[in-house]
Amino acid sequence: MKKTLSVTLFLVMAVVLLMALAVPAYAAEPAKKVETNSGVKVMHAADWKEEFPNQYQSWMMTSENDGLDDYLEQYPMLVTLYEGYGFAKDYKGARGHFYDIEDIEATGRPHPMANCWTCKTPDFTNMVNEEGIGAYMKDWTEVQAQITEGISCYNCHANTPGDITITHTYWIDAVGDDFDSIAPANLACGQCHNEYYFEPETKATTIAHSSLAGMAPETMLAYFNDGANFSTDEPFADWTNPRTGVRQIKVQHPEFETFLGAGSPHASTFTCADCHMPTVTAEDGSTYHSHNLVSPLENEELLANTCSLCHKDLVSEVRGVQAEIEDRTNAVGAQLVDLTEMLAAVVESGKYTDEQLAEVRQLARDAQFYWDFVFVENAEGVHNPSLTRDCLNRAESICTEAITALEAVTA
Ligand code: HEC
Ligand code: HEC
Ligand code: HEC
Ligand code: HEC
């Protein structure tokens, strides 16, 4: 009898929990949108130190995430795949927000314009909000002199800490009418953890989607491939590989698009903050969100109290998925290197016209886009294993198609 009761109780609790999880885990209140052109000045983290000591102290702790991976050393294939672009010269992995100014100042990649400050500092975010998109074309060094701090309270809260306010206006456009239906804590991180590009003429930071539906990888690729979307009237390219003549797209950290994309196991159950901002109990017994952004795998309490309800051993599960994705990313990357070398040799032979090579170049561009979408996503596949595998499958099959098409040209 006792056993039946506890089983029943367990089932009731499980159902309640599942129902709670099935409901999107965000506050009923949507995020706010920043007011532009209003003469507002940035309040900096130090201004909030007294009022919000816990958030301030934990925000400082992103300094603990200080490891700096050298991707070019770890993945020599990048030198070939990104040839002709800054990322083939210097490419370090991401680390804690604390280091973002130091890291952009140290990068070996060229950054002629202020648009490179877009995701680094509230001082620049506010400059764009006050001056308009002309600020993106300012000189990088001129803006550098006006920067006082890295990513901080204003980026996610404007000058009202506690409220989530979206301060990066291109991101308001990027989600369009879906704004109110997206959890504020997802929108806050999505402002920078997204796939962006610089508009060819205005150099403004811009996103290749204007709704949640538009952010599927294949939809974004179609957007980049359609010249009508750009002031130059030709398909978008970040750079052209000098040996193959392929006009390439460089994807950038699409965490938001991956996590909220099709097939994501937790898109409607958890937010970025649920997994990366631990809830901490302060000395006075109140709770707050730690602003030190850590891996959920380092959060013992979260694992024990929440994740373990469904995952027996999340750490090994995640490491297993990451290892599988890493292996496939390397294998497909190697295949892309083969294609690049084959195409480079054919171009160097001088025997074929651009017209003859157009189809192969298009396929090579598309294949690398899908591969890069996975390579540059910082969770190594676990935000959305199904979307990640789908991208790698597409990259592989399009690459194979390109090799076959190239063989047909030279046969
Ligand atoms: C204003 C832009 C911006 C916002 C908003 C932002 N990030 Fe970041 N994030 C960055 C940048 C830039 C880096 C890389 C910094 C570096 O390497 O110097 C980064 C790095 C990180 C890292 C470390 C990555 C690694 O590989 O170690 C984590 C984790 C992270 N962010 C999580 C989040 C979460 C969660 C949110 C939302 C609560 C968020 N970020 C919001 C720009 C931003
Ligand atoms: C990268 C984005 C980001 C930055 C930077 C940031 N916050 Fe937050 N903040 C959040 C998120 C996300 C939440 C939790 C919202 C939710 O899910 O309810 C939050 C919550 C809060 C809260 C509500 C209480 C709590 O802890 O949940 C306060 C107060 C706060 N932040 C203050 C600050 C201060 C002060 C700074 C600067 C030192 C800061 N935040 C920097 C994203 C950020
Ligand atoms: C269901 C939990 C979960 C949610 C929700 C989630 N992530 Fe993650 N995230 C992870 C896991 C697990 C990893 C891999 C951590 C590791 O390798 O230790 C990760 C890794 C990352 C990393 C790389 C840094 C690191 O610690 O490895 C970044 C950056 C990141 N997530 C950002 C985001 C952003 C932005 C969002 C929201 C759009 C988000 N995450 C939503 C679970 C989550
Ligand atoms: C209500 C059950 C449930 C809870 C609670 C839960 N998950 Fe999951 N999670 C799932 C399911 C189901 C999948 C998809 C598994 C699959 O496709 O094999 C999944 C997949 C994942 C994945 C993708 C990689 C993988 O292992 O398949 C990550 C990462 C993840 N969960 C993290 C978390 C974290 C972090 C927590 C705690 C904050 C958590 N989950 C809590 C049910 C849950």
Side-chain angles (χ1 to χ4, degrees), residues 310-341:
C310 301
H311 295 276
K312 270 205 200 94
D313 180 359
L314 185 66
V315 178
S316 29
E317 216 179 281
V318 164
R319 295 299 173 227
V321 174
Q322 287 175 330
E324 171 220 315
I325 299 295
E326 166 92 358
D327 283 353
R328 278 216 69 205
T329 308
N330 284 330
V332 177
Q335 198 194 356
L336 282 169
V337 169
D338 289 346
L339 168 63
T340 305
E341 293 302 345

Side-chain angles (χ1 to χ4, degrees), residues 65-125:
N65 175 1
D66 60 358
L68 202 51
D69 292 332
D70 188 333
Y71 283 165
L72 297 181
E73 243 167 50
Q74 283 173 22
Y75 305 97
M77 62 186 171
L78 297 183
V79 178
T80 308
L81 298 180
Y82 299 150
E83 188 174 345
Y85 201 44
F87 285 93
K89 297 195 186 82
D90 183 23
Y91 195 1
K92 305 283 191 325
R95 55 176 173 165
H97 285 184
F98 182 87
Y99 296 101
D100 79 310
I101 302 276
E102 184 179 326
D103 290 342
I104 191 188
E105 290 180 341
T107 180
R109 290 193 295 278
H111 39 58
M113 271 176 235
N115 54 13
C116 294
W117 289 111
T118 301
C119 282
K120 311 291 188 224
T121 165
D123 297 309
F124 185 67
T125 309

Side-chain angles (χ1 to χ4, degrees), residues 40 58-59 68 76 84 111 140 172 184 196 198 218 222 233 258 271 296 344 349 353 387:
V40 165
S58 56
W59 168 79
L68 202 51
H111 39 58
W140 187 85
I172 297 172
Y196 72 91
F198 294 140
E218 61 275 22
D233 225 15
T258 301
T271 67
S349 77
T353 62
L387 181 135

Side-chain angles (χ1 to χ4, degrees), residues 45 48 52 55-56 59 97 151-153 156-157 161-162 164 185 273 277 288-289 291:
W48 302 111
F52 302 112
Q55 287 82 5
Y56 177 84
W59 168 79
H97 285 184
I151 300 157
S152 125
C153 323
C156 303
H157 298 298
I164 296 292
M277 296 177 74
Y288 65 94
H289 281 95
H291 281 57

Side-chain angles (χ1 to χ4, degrees), residues 18 21 265-266 270 275 296 302 306-307 309-311 314 317-318 321 382 385:
L18 284 172
L21 287 170
H266 288 307
F270 296 117
C275 284
L302 183 73
T306 310
C307 317
L309 293 170
C310 301
H311 295 276
L314 185 66
E317 216 179 281
V318 164
V321 174
V382 294

